[in-house]
Each structure stands twice: as structure tokens, then as C-alpha cells.
Amino acid sequence: MPILSRVRNLIPRQLLDTSRFAYVSLPSNDQSRNGSPTTYSRFKWQAGDRIRIGRMSISRSVALAIAGLVFLLLFAIGGMRGLRRQQLADEPPQPFYWELYDRLNGYYNGVSMLVPVSEHVIENQYNQSHPPTEWNMRVIKQPPINPVPYSPYPDFTSREYLKQYHSVETCYLDAKEKVPAPDVYAYPALPKIFPEPLFGSYEELGIREDVCFDRFGRLGPYGYGYNESVPGALGVGDRSENAGSEQVFAKAEFTDYSKVDWGAAQKRCGEKNKARFAGSQATGKKRVKRQAFVLRTWTGYKYNAYQMLSLRAMVNELSLKSGGEFDVHFLVHVKNNSIPIWADKALYQQTLEENVPREFWNLSTLWSAQQMLAYYPAPFPDNFANMAGSSIHGVYRSAHFPLQWFSQEHPEYDFVWNWEMDVRYSGHYYEFHTKVGEWAARQPRKGLWERSARFWIPNHHGNYANFTAFVEAEVQSKDIPENDAEKNGPVPVWGPARNFTNRGMLPPPPGTTPPTTYEEDNYTWGVGEEADLLTFNPIFDPSMTNWVFSQDVTGYNRTLPIPPRRAAIVTVGRLSKRLLSVMHEETWRMKHHMFPEMFPAAMSFHHGLKAAYIPHPIYFDRDWETGYMDQVFNYPKEIWSSPFGWGENNLLGSTFYYNAGFSGALWRRWLGMAENGEGGRKWEEEGSGRMCLRGVLHHPVKREDGPVD
């Protein structure tokens, strides 16, 4: 048993000589195999360095000759084995188990198959039978339902709103207030046959699930669908299938966005509405909390036309249409540390202008790793395992450093969103980002860490109330008896997790001490409290997985056990000013540091902050049986089969994970691009037209360059 225990706790990369090998995580190639719109390469291990032989003595030469004879014999045997290995390599790879499930095709049903949600048929059969086969059948050429303006904002002019908050001043794209911030359009319908998400729920979050977005209604107001001959047009979408798109163009006037200064427009909007964010005891009006939406870009980044559309949507929907509730920022990493951007304002501006589209110049802030080295000076001693083999001040291991710095520079923001450049959302940005925050604020703290560590599968667990009761029962019957407090920390988590030996920690912030015992609380503590950390994947215990960066922990006494900690894969999420302040203090005062996907969650865990995994809808390209799915994702049989370790292949066919292949493929198909011999203009024109998706969070989308014609 001790030997088996050691094997179970091995981290794969620790088996390798890291000077000769490099760990390459399971990639997604977005290529088709076995009928799927996506398939994936298997693990690849880079070859080691070539062995070098120096000058040798005569005795060594004789020994080498004898060894050579032995080598020839072994070579003959090995040749036969090598031939067999080559034969095996030439055989098609065995599919992952989930690839044997039926493919779901309803995603590709187009706008000519739209029906009211009451007539919508869920495609999923959860592997109990084959999914419906009626799909991509064009019955009529035009969409049977017209798109309508989609506005998820509160009624800012209502008596109810104005009783609680200051009035909202309308914001415009131009200083003369002649060009209004545009609306987007959605169909109040769904394709007749369409899949359900396997993780998460629209209803639970309060996001509308009875509408879908096509590319013209969603992106047309930002310049999609106009030929390059139109001044200022991007020249994308004008050659794709477009039946019924005139309904959008008749309502949404063309705007030459190349002349728009989004930074100036955002600043004007904030100034007009500053009373909303100040609060006033005299008037009794509630203060609206401000949020920074920070895009993590870098010098040399290529902004394609499709991304320009998404970026315009973010600024318009989050900032201008909301009356300045969000500010969008481009946090630009200057990768060349030799450029003295801090020594010369002109050089700073030149660097910015050469690397950011003109529209967004006044939204952008530069930073560099060299700057972070000065801000958080070395040394950072006592690292348990630097599996990346890189500097602690490099962005790969410390993506949170510039975010901490940004928050210190901008104390006006209550929350900061960390948003990666390869994330896309097919729905409305304001609706998504406000609803997930409101949902988290409604959650009681009791059991929240335990619920956030699990995937909620509605078809298997029932609604979220049932899931909550189920998790609580499992905590008592399974989690507590099996818990190793030294390794995993306390279970259940109730307030700051501080019962472990360490080099010293800062005191937890006020308001983090539970008012009662866990048993006495009736799911009331934390209700109405804004969450300090929002993540879009479960907040898991790295010590229970073979996640390669599990032990990238710095600044704690290495003669003592590594501290209990938590992590969430993909750094996309929302962090409160309070959390970022804790991270900042722990970094510079205590020299504590962890891998970027671990540090925010671990600091929340240690300091008793409120953290929540958002159960946003995640779709899969296959018709999984959900009982088996629950076993795979929530109860891995061995440490290496965790979905956050070698079991990550199970998320390749999803719409959200760090290497989800289906995510990019589905997004490109929605844009009208051909993908693996399917999709594109002819496919859509001969079928049921262009796709219409609910709001789906896609990550990653590494390219948007598929053929359209």
C-alpha cells in the first residue's frame, strides 16, 4: 500500500529530467475524426538532447568496442520491435470513450428552422437512444421569425429604479452626441431541434434561454456584413449566407468605427454618470459598484477583423449602454524588456500605437515583466516545484502581478475582470457579466466551497437546490471522513482556512469570521454578499490531482508540508478589490506566491473570502450519458484520471476549458466558416441557413480564419 500510495501521488513531470524533456499538455487541433467537428492529438513528448561523447582513453575504446558488439545484437532485436512499434503507430489511434457517444448535430440547425421555445425539441437523449435525425433541413428560405432588439438592462427610467439609484445619462459614441450606442438583435426563438448544456443552467443564473443570436444580429451593429468598398468597413460577412439579414440592417445604421475613439467615449460616459458611483447619504440613493473589464493583450498581438467586432461589443455593451457601470481596459504586456517605455513618454506612446488598433488607444495601459520585478522585487525563496522552469516574474507564472498592480493604481474599481483574448461570447456581454455576479451574491457561504469543487450536471443532479442538498449530505458522509486536514485543509470550509503550519500569514480581512458555527447556520451567512472571486471552472484541491503546476508554491517553509490550497483552471474570472489587495500584500510583505490559476483561489481559501464557481452553461459535442459523466468528472478513480490532470481529455469536446477543441470549431461554424468539410456558405444555403446560438462562453478560440465561400 505505501508503494501504491507513492505512485498515486506522483506528478507526471516529476518523472522526467526537465533539462532534457519538456512537458507538452494535451492540445486540441480542431480537426475532424470519427464524425466529430473536432478531434484532438494525443500526448506528445519532446525528444531529449542528443548524447555527446568526448575524447576517450584506449581502455575506454576497447570497452566501447565490446559494448558495440552488444549494441549490434540488441539493435537487431530492437529493429524487429521498432518495426512492430511503427506498425502500431500507423494504426489509427483508439478513440476516447466519450467519442463513442452519438454526435449532437442540432447546433448546426439554422435560422429557417426557428420555432417558439414552446415548440423546441431538446436533442439530447443522454445516450438512452439516438438523437433526433431531423436537422439542417431548409423548409423555407427566409427565417420565419424576425429578430428584435435585445436589451437586458434594467429599465433605467422606471420609478422603481429611480427610487433606489441615481438616474442614468445616455451615452454616445461621439462628443457631439449624434451617434447613439447601437443595439444588438436576437431571435425570440430557437432552432426546432437544439441541444441542452450538460453543465450549468441559464435559468439558474437568470439568463434568458428562449432567444438565440445569429451572426448578423449579434455582430452586424459593430460592422459585420459590410463590403470593404464601404469606407471604414472591415470586409467580413458580406459573402456569407444572409437570408433575412436585411431585417437587422434596416434598423442598425452603419457606423464607421475606424473614426470612433472608444476611450474618449467611455470617459465621457463615466463623467456623465459619476453621481451613480459616488453614493449620497443626503439623497439616500444606493451607490452602483464599478467594475473594470481588463483585456490581457500583448505587443505583437494580431487583431483580426472578427475580434475587432467582439471588442467593440464589449465596450458598447458593458460600458456605454450601461451608463458606465463597467470600464474596459487593455492591459498590454510589453514583451521586450529592453524597451525603456518608462523613461520616455513619446516612446511609451509609440509602443502603444504600434501594438493596439487606433480605436482602442485611449483604453490601453502598458506594463512589462521588468516593471513587475521592480514592483515586487526578488528574492522569492523556497519554491516547492517550479514545473514551468521559468522566472517568477514572467507572465506565465505571475499573470496576476500586473492585475494586482492595476488594482492598486485604480482603487475606484470594486471588481476587476481578468479576460483573456481567446474568449468569445455569443450572447450579450452585460447580461452575462451582471447575472453571474448577482447569482454569486445570492449564494450562502455554507457549502459554497464544496459545491464549487464539483461540476453541477442538471440532468443528473436535478435543480441547484437539489444539488445543494446532495452536496451537503455527501460532505457529511464522505468528504469529512476521508479528509486529510494537513493535506487538504478543513472540510467543510467555514471562514479562513488557517489550521496549517506555515511561515506566517497576514490576518484575514474584517467580515470573514463566521457569526455562528457551521451546524447552527441555516444557509444565511453570505446571502447578499458579493463574491470576491468568480471562476468558470470548479475550484478544486490540486493535491487530489496530478495537475502539473500543483506544487508551484513559493515563500512557505519547505521543511513543513506544502500548504493546503485551491485552484481553478483558466484565469478568466472576476476578482474583488479586497481579494486583489490581499494578494498584493501577501506578495510583497510575505513573499508568498503560487501559479496564476492557484493564487487567487488559495488566498480566498486562506483568508476566508467568498469564492464561487459559476455554473454557466457548457455544451458538449457528444450525447453523454450523465450518470457516467458524473463519475468521470466528480469521482475520478485515480489521481491521474482527474479532469484537471490526465483526465482532461474528457473536456476536449466542451465549449469551455483551457484546451477545449469544440469551442473554437463551434464558434467558427457560427461565424459561417467551413470546418472539417462542413459549414460555409454553400452548406448553409443548401441547408437550413446560418446558425443561431444561445449565449455560449467559448474558450479557447485560437483562430478565426476559416473559409466562408
Side-chain angles (χ1 to χ4, degrees), residues 490 495-502 504-508 586 605-608:
R498 305 175 66 80
N499 59 339
F500 59 90
T501 53
N502 60 83
M505 288 176 57
L506 297 172
E586 286 275 354
F605 180 57
H606 291 172
H607 289 270

Side-chain angles (χ1 to χ4, degrees), residues 293-449:
F293 190 78
V294 178
L295 291 154
R296 303 299 301 274
T297 184
W298 56 89
T299 52
Y301 185 83
K302 303 300 181 184
Y303 296 81
N304 67 60
Y306 294 98
Q307 182 153 51
M308 293 291 289
L309 299 170
S310 293
L311 295 172
R312 293 168 180 173
M314 292 174 191
V315 187
N316 183 62
E317 293 161 25
L318 290 172
S319 181
L320 303 189
K321 297 287 283 188
S322 75
E325 291 180 23
F326 293 77
D327 275 348
V328 177
H329 291 266
F330 287 57
L331 197 55
V332 186
H333 176 203
V334 179
K335 298 171 72 174
N336 186 348
N337 283 321
S338 67
I339 301 177
I341 54 175
W342 312 111
D344 184 76
K345 290 183 178 180
L347 183 58
Y348 179 102
Q349 191 63 27
Q350 177 187 342
T351 304
L352 190 156
E353 293 180 5
E354 288 177 350
N355 290 281
V356 178
R358 187 183 186 91
E359 295 175 37
F360 309 119
W361 284 355
N362 287 322
L363 297 175
S364 302
T365 302
L366 304 184
W367 72 276
S368 69
Q370 194 68 29
Q371 176 197 8
M372 292 301 106
L373 179 60
Y375 198 69
Y376 297 119
F380 281 81
D382 295 333
N383 174 262
F384 280 84
N386 177 7
M387 305 312 297
S390 58
S391 166
I392 203 168
H393 289 90
V395 68
Y396 190 68
R397 292 183 64 212
S398 292
H400 49 283
F401 277 6
L403 207 66
Q404 294 168 192
W405 166 75
F406 176 89
S407 182
Q408 293 294 310
E409 294 292 305
H410 293 279
E412 68 270 24
Y413 297 121
D414 300 279
F415 301 99
V416 177
W417 289 86
N418 191 64
W419 211 250
E420 297 177 3
M421 298 301 285
D422 56 358
V423 181
R424 302 289 183 273
Y425 187 60
S426 56
H428 196 285
Y429 281 104
Y430 181 85
E431 180 179 39
F432 181 80
H433 288 85
T434 54
K435 291 300 182 182
V436 299
E438 291 170 2
W439 178 86
R442 293 194 298 269
Q443 302 311 302
R445 279 182 174 250
K446 186 172 184 174
L448 183 57
W449 280 96

